[in-house]
Amino acid sequence: MMAEPMVKIRSVRKRFGPLEVLKGISLDVLAGGVVCVVGPSGSGKSTLLRCVNRLETLDSGRIWVDGDLIGYREQDEKLHMLRPAELSRQRQDIGMVFQRFHLFPHRTALENVMEGPVTVKRASKAEARQRAAELLERVGLADRAHHYPAQLSGGQQQRVAIARSLAMSPKLMLFDEPTSALDPELVQEVLAVMRDLAGSGMTMMVVTHEMGFAREVGDHLVFIDGGVIVEQGHPREVLADPRHERFRTFLGQVR
């Protein structure tokens, strides 16, 4: 008997005004799996990730993370939207790393990583400080713990952002093109941290244009275009022999 997926996405639709960005997306992410989502700009990749974390509301469809229906509770066969406090508790299990780092500029790297556990989970400062120091060491920034964001490179800031998400002990990590805002020479240091996370068994959804990373680390690759899944499968297989012309054209542009 197969285990339930960590993430279960069913018939998700999302519209912004007259533009339907997601057109009935269904997708499973297994526990410990790394799903890489690729596609052209405006295809709906980032919107899909934001729907998983309930940063966008769905027009229709449902999303479950570790068995919990995201954004709603079901009662008497009806859906009731969660109150903000309930939604906040759900989000604690889902870490998200954006293109931009969104660090607090007036706080050190250590303080940025401590912030969530202290303010959201009510952890003691001593406990949060020790955990933050461990996480900064994990992402290779133990010697930058007392530096402010302005004193860090883009790659270092993004690694602090990853450590900050990990500090909440999430069940799922979402990465929305985490290297797209970085200079080319800084990309690999961020990807190395993500490889380490994948190797440790973290469940991950990664919107990326880094095909090498998808091929090497991903368990499943999804190509989205025009709000629908055009092609999917094991990254090495679909990248080596894409079936759809649209995917072949896309790969020719990003390789």
Side-chain angles (χ1 to χ4, degrees):
M1 188 174 181
M2 292 191 66
E4 274 287 294
M6 173 64 75
V7 182
K8 191 162 62 173
I9 300 170
R10 292 294 180 269
S11 303
V12 165
R13 292 181 177 271
K14 177 62 184 176
R15 178 183 296 275
F16 294 103
L19 179 64
E20 190 173 27
V21 178
L22 299 176
K23 303 175 181 178
I25 296 283
S26 294
L27 179 66
D28 287 342
V29 182
L30 300 179
V34 178
V35 172
C36 295
V37 184
V38 304
S41 178
S43 60
K45 312 181 300 296
S46 295
T47 299
L48 178 62
L49 240 59
R50 291 174 64 85
C51 286
V52 172
N53 204 20
R54 194 60 175 179
L55 294 176
E56 301 289 353
T57 57
L58 310 184
D59 291 325
S60 64
R62 298 185 185 185
I63 297 175
W64 292 263
V65 173
D66 198 23
D68 289 335
L69 180 61
I70 298 299
Y72 297 94
R73 55 184 170 82
E74 196 165 8
Q75 185 176 341
D76 300 327
E77 299 184 356
K78 293 183 179 180
L79 291 181
H80 302 269
M81 193 174 292
L82 294 183
R83 296 189 296 270
E86 295 172 311
L87 185 56
S88 178
R89 282 193 292 271
Q90 280 192 337
R91 286 200 182 116
Q92 291 179 30
D93 290 332
I94 306 173
M96 188 159 186
V97 178
F98 300 89
Q99 296 177 31
R100 298 291 174 179
F101 325 120
H102 301 300
L103 300 177
F104 294 113
H106 60 291
R107 297 187 185 276
T108 64
L110 187 76
E111 290 167 342
N112 266 280
V113 179
M114 289 173 57
E115 182 71 19
V118 170
T119 60
V120 178
K121 290 195 166 185
R122 305 300 184 197
S124 70
K125 287 191 175 182
E127 178 186 358
R129 185 177 293 108
Q130 180 178 344
R131 173 70 170 150
E134 292 169 355
L135 288 170
L136 287 175
E137 183 173 6
R138 180 175 182 179
V139 301
L141 291 174
D143 61 339
R144 298 289 188 271
H146 301 293
H147 286 58
Y148 290 90
Q151 298 171 309
L152 302 174
S153 71
Q156 290 169 339
Q157 290 185 60
Q158 191 62 294
R159 284 187 279 158
V160 173
I162 293 172
R164 179 181 57 185
S165 289
L166 293 175
M168 298 297 287
S169 301
K171 299 175 181 178
L172 168 69
M173 285 287 287
L174 308 176
F175 293 87
D176 187 6
E177 298 198 56
T179 61
S180 65
L182 301 178
D183 293 334
E185 65 268 22
L186 302 178
V187 168
Q188 290 306 316
E189 63 187 51
V190 174
L191 294 181
V193 172
M194 294 170 64
R195 288 187 189 96
D196 175 70
L197 278 181
S200 72
M202 175 63 72
T203 308
M204 297 161 60
M205 292 183 70
V206 184
V207 169
T208 184
H209 57 273
E210 299 288 343
M211 296 302 149
F213 174 86
R215 184 184 296 106
E216 175 190 349
V217 181
D219 301 300
H220 195 76
L221 185 140
V222 177
F223 172 63
I224 295 181
D225 188 32
V228 299
I229 295 177
V230 175
E231 189 159 347
Q232 62 179 313
H234 192 279
R236 292 178 185 172
E237 294 174 3
V238 297
L239 290 173
D241 186 25
R243 297 188 306 274
H244 292 80
E245 178 61 31
R246 181 67 188 90
F247 191 26
R248 287 194 290 270
T249 301
F250 171 77
L251 289 176
Q253 294 169 342
V254 298
R255 281 173 173 168

